[in-house]
Amino acid sequence: MQKAADRVRGGTSCAHNMAEHIANSNTDAGNILVQVQEDLQQLKQQISQMTIRGPVDIQTLETAIHRTEMGLQSHAAKYLNVINRQVLTLPAVEYRDMPADHTLADALGNSKIIKRPVAYPTLNKKHHGLQLWNQPQHTSPGTQHKEAMEMRILRDPTNPKARNVLHENYGIQLPLIKNAMLEQTPLQKLVKGPTIDKLAVLPAPQREDPSLLPPFVSEKDARKGILSLIERGLIPPASDLILHPPALQQKAAMIHDIEEKYKKSPQEIFGTYPQKPYYIIVSESYTVEPKQLDRKQVSKRQLRINIPAPSIISKSSAEDFNAAQHLLGKEMVPYDFHQPQQFQVVPIHRAQEFPRAYYILIFNGKIDYLAPDILAFKEHYQLCWGPIRSFLEYLEKKLRDYDVPVAIVEGQKLAKLSVLFELNAWHTWEDLLPALKNKDMVEEIIKRPGQQYKGPDGFELAATKIQALWRQYRDRTQYFKSCRQKWAAGVITISWLMRAQMARVKKTLKQSRQRHLENFRSRAKHLAANWNRIKASRRTIIHIPSLGHAQPLRSSVPDIDTQQNLQMGRLCDIRDDNVDVIYICPLWLGEDVTQYYMKLLGLQEAIKSGIPEQVVDMKHRLKVMTPETASHIPTHHLCLATHLKYSPKTIKRIKNLIEGKAAYIVGGLLHKDDLAVADMLNVPILGPEPVVAQLYSAKSGSKRIFASACVPVPPGECDIYNLQQMHEVLITLILENLEVKRWLFKVDIEFCGRGTAYFDVSHLKCYKQILKEFREIGPFVWLKRKWVQEPAELKLTKELPGILAEHAQPVNKEVFPTWERFLQTFLCQGGVMEAYPPSDSVTNLTVDMLIEPTGEVSMVSCGDQIHSKSPLECWGSTVPQCSVDPNTLHLVCVKIAEACRARGVIGFFSIDLVTFIHPSTMEQQVWATDLDVAYSDQLAMTQLMLFVSNGRLDCRINTFEVPPKPKEKTRRLRRKKVSVEETQTQLPFMKCYGVLSTQLKHANLSMVHYSVLFKIFKAHGIGFDIKERQGTVFILHEGNKRDHLGMVTIGEDLQGALLTFARNLSVIHQEISAPNMQWENNFQAAIEDIEVILGVTIVNKSKGKEDDSTTALEALT
């Protein structure tokens, strides 16, 4: 017994020493204490089983054992005090992110804290928090405040004292982190006075007269608020204002239980300790009741506390509880148990607040509303239980219909969504899913195809859906069919209405145009009857230089308004004292251009008298007008007559100017709108009907005129509209005219050489062989017997299409870049094919004719054409012509004029002819090639030439004569008496020549102002001498782009006029161009062509002198 007592005392001393050693080391204290307790237990059993041989003091042994147990308890308390003052860290266990097959060892690693827990805290049910066994029950307020401050410092890592507190209390030395310098907040300047703008005041008229309409409220005024609008009077003070959305929103207030008034918040109880649900992992511990158990069972068995599992409504969801239990592989219980056990606290979430949540579990679309938790939830939300119950019942139905096995509803979200549930009549899954905890799983289930038909009533729903879809398809098909029929009926109705309306409009237009035509014919008869009287009396000529081509052709002409304004020379009709001119201009002329023409036309008296100082103002006799629609519709490529037709202000002004006067219109290429304008002004037109003018202005129409006039024309064919016809006609023409080396293709409705292409027969491989056969057979047999041409015709038929597509070339590459493009237009609009003169020296002529209303025919202008880039494009002319005998030319032109008069053509028209020396007969040939029933540019420039020279042009003898220079006055002194005699010697008229052009174009002209350009002319001596009646006069076409220019030069002989013209072009080109800025122009080509003409002129003069000398010698002999 004594040994036993000594053994007990030894164990006590060992326990004491062990406690001191543990305090200074990291020994596994928990195992040692348990081992000591087990030893004491075994000692009790051994004592009870010992055989007592002598007197033993049992009370002494029990006292020793009891003393030993008390010593162990005191030493364990000291050990816990030492341990609890150190910082114990546990790794975070997030069971939600771990697989289900992980164990506690996998989750927390080989942590000694998990294997050997060193702290034995207990949970007090009253406070739901942690308390240590040996923690003092009573702490002074100062100590509590100090500990709270230390915990607050430790919780804030940015606090500068946190590092010192950890080092002093727990021996942890944190690294020194230097805080960045805090940015100094700039001092704000104090503002004195009011900081808001003054409220706006109602305008004075509204304040004085309340019956007026309130002023306009802008967005800026509305942003100032309702108070500003009330102060301004825009909102009456007594008005009832309703804000949307309202400033204050109503919702149900939560009524708390009276017991909750005295409950403290978790922060007040636990301080800054995380208020989050904890799962308690129970490890090896003592048994609750002292039972006789085996040592192995006691050491290995895990304690299971009989606490009910979480209910449907709990602080933690059942899903979380089961997941954590499966993850850790340990027995787990909630924290609200009564008996202190050996355990470790593992945090599940890291949120800073512990919300009060309710979860309702729905199994197979059913809820047990009699469950205690449901009743508690109902009691908590009893004020809004009606909407919640409706929401739950609807959700139950939807879950049953979609056969969702499990759904967890969050109570707080349910309460919020139930308020909106009553407001909406139609609900979708988007309205229900936010209330579910496991909404991802439910959403995945309901999105499966056909899931809505797996519920209890799935078969009925599927059958109903199939029937509904079939009925929908049937009804939809019928509906679409009826809609298509209705749409078709509407389209038919609208089309019919539009057709009827179009028919009415066409009928109205036809009647209107017929009326215009009848009025035109009646006025033409009146003009013919009174023409002699009108021509000899005071009259007004209205010039409308309109190009009445078809709309597609006008659209393809660049700068159509500039092309219509090339005939500014019409203004010079005022050289007749009985004529007033009204010129309709398609462009708005600038002030400088208007002043130039007024000064030029004001020189009429100075030109007649030869005295430059006699300048007359011509504003009362000359009016230049531009239709107002010219700037309103600039891109529609309308002709000038159409612009004037839709310009009522200009029409009214013209009516006022011609009221009570004899007047008539001189147009361009007449259009139907010219008749409408003439009908508005009630004046006749000096010209044919528009249909007649456009018919005979076409290439095929002119061929008919020439054929009826029996004048020589080039070999050719007209009215060609298909490719086969073109090939057949061309082969026939080539075989009948083998001496012709080039064939021309001309589009009917084109003008100015735009629609012309050529083909050289020298490209044909069989041409030389055919020509050889022709020379062997002879021209008579070749032309008389057609069967001789059959082999050659077969060769041409085989070879011509390919050679034609390869070598045929359009003249104007800008309009027709390729032969295919030209051929398409040629076959679509029709055209003619004709021979190019078979000579190296070819001269083109233009003759302007006038058929007066009385039928009298006269030649008003004639000139030789000047070509620049191509011999088929004309840019100017020399007046008078010097290429054809005047009598021959007059005879041909009169025949053509009589043929035109027979077809109703009156007024001005021009004839294009070509002359050459035929290589076979060596005789001069004159062919008529084209006819334009319109006022030509050459005639307009001829009028300007006659105006500035005061000359006269006689086309019968091809002479242009100007009056001689007036002789100065002479004084004679006779002895003492002085007598002054003014003698005017009548000298004969001088023959002169003029070079005219309206097609001069240079892109650099647009960069030079007209005033600067005329200073350049003056510096180089370019001008017109009124006394000598020779020099240069310019025509300005428009004032915007200024890239076109017209020029007239007059000289004593043709060579001098051409030299002056070429010198002017060279000077202008050098002055306005730079070596590195060679823009588009035709100046260089014109100079080269003039040089060729000058060479021919010199040769002709030398030949003329030789002929004259030969004739004189023959006369002498």
Side-chain angles (χ1 to χ4, degrees), residues 202 214-225 228-229 232-235:
L202 190 67
F216 174 74
V217 180
S218 63
E219 184 179 358
K220 183 178 179 181
D221 297 336
R223 290 178 180 174
K224 293 182 179 180
S228 176
L229 298 178
R232 292 186 62 184
L234 299 177
I235 299 178

Side-chain angles (χ1 to χ4, degrees), residues 240-288:
D240 187 10
L241 301 179
I242 299 176
L243 301 180
H244 182 75
L248 300 178
Q249 296 183 356
Q250 300 178 359
K251 66 177 183 180
M254 184 176 179
I255 301 178
H256 298 274
D257 191 2
I258 191 170
E259 296 180 357
E260 297 179 359
K261 178 179 179 181
Y262 301 101
K263 290 183 180 181
K264 295 184 178 180
S265 63
Q267 291 187 357
E268 295 178 358
I269 299 174
F270 305 112
T272 59
Y273 200 81
Q275 306 303 316
K276 194 66 180 177
Y278 285 80
Y279 287 111
I280 312 303
I281 303 174
V282 181
S283 61
E284 300 173 354
S285 62
Y286 298 110
T287 57
V288 179

Side-chain angles (χ1 to χ4, degrees), residues 886-907:
N887 296 326
T888 303
L889 182 62
H890 182 266
L891 180 61
V892 172
C893 294
V894 169
K895 287 182 178 181
I896 296 174
E898 290 177 354
C900 292
R901 183 179 59 186
R903 285 164 174 76
V905 177
I906 62 172

Side-chain angles (χ1 to χ4, degrees), residues 505-519 645 672 675-676 679-680:
V505 172
K506 287 183 177 180
K507 184 178 179 180
T508 304
L509 287 175
K510 187 176 180 180
Q511 294 175 355
S512 175
R513 288 171 179 171
Q514 185 64 28
R515 184 176 65 255
H516 294 162
L517 184 59
E518 292 175 357
N519 294 338
K645 176 184 177 182
K672 295 178 180 179
L675 302 184
D679 199 61
M680 293 177 182

Side-chain angles (χ1 to χ4, degrees), residues 197-212:
D197 298 335
K198 296 181 179 180
L199 297 177
V201 182
L202 190 67
Q206 278 75 9
R207 292 199 303 270
E208 296 174 359
D209 188 2
S211 63
L212 295 178

Side-chain angles (χ1 to χ4, degrees), residues 312 317-319 358-367 374 391-392 395-396 398-400 402-410 429 432-433 435-443 445-446:
I312 296 175
S317 67
E319 180 185 359
Y358 295 91
Y359 294 96
I360 300 176
L361 198 61
I362 304 176
F363 285 102
N364 296 325
K366 294 182 179 180
I367 301 176
I374 297 295
F391 186 92
L392 290 176
L395 182 59
E396 281 183 292
K398 296 291 288 184
L399 293 174
R400 281 196 306 270
Y402 281 81
D403 194 22
V404 179
V406 179
I408 303 174
V409 183
E410 296 188 37
W429 279 109
L432 303 177
L433 287 176
L436 301 180
K437 179 73 173 178
N438 57 339
K439 61 181 180 181
D440 295 337
M441 182 190 73
V442 175
E443 186 176 4
I445 293 174
I446 64 176

Side-chain angles (χ1 to χ4, degrees), residues 691-709 713 717-721 746-749 829-832 896 899-900 903 905 929-933:
V691 178
V692 175
Q694 294 185 8
L695 174 62
Y696 294 113
S697 293
K699 302 298 185 291
S700 298
S702 62
K703 293 298 181 183
R704 298 189 188 96
I705 292 286
F706 298 151
S708 63
V713 294
E717 189 66 31
C718 60
D719 294 326
I720 297 174
Y721 289 96
K746 296 181 180 180
V747 181
D748 266 343
I749 62 174
Q829 299 178 0
V832 301
I896 296 174
C900 292
R903 285 164 174 76
V905 177
T929 58
D930 201 0
L931 179 68
D932 289 325
V933 186

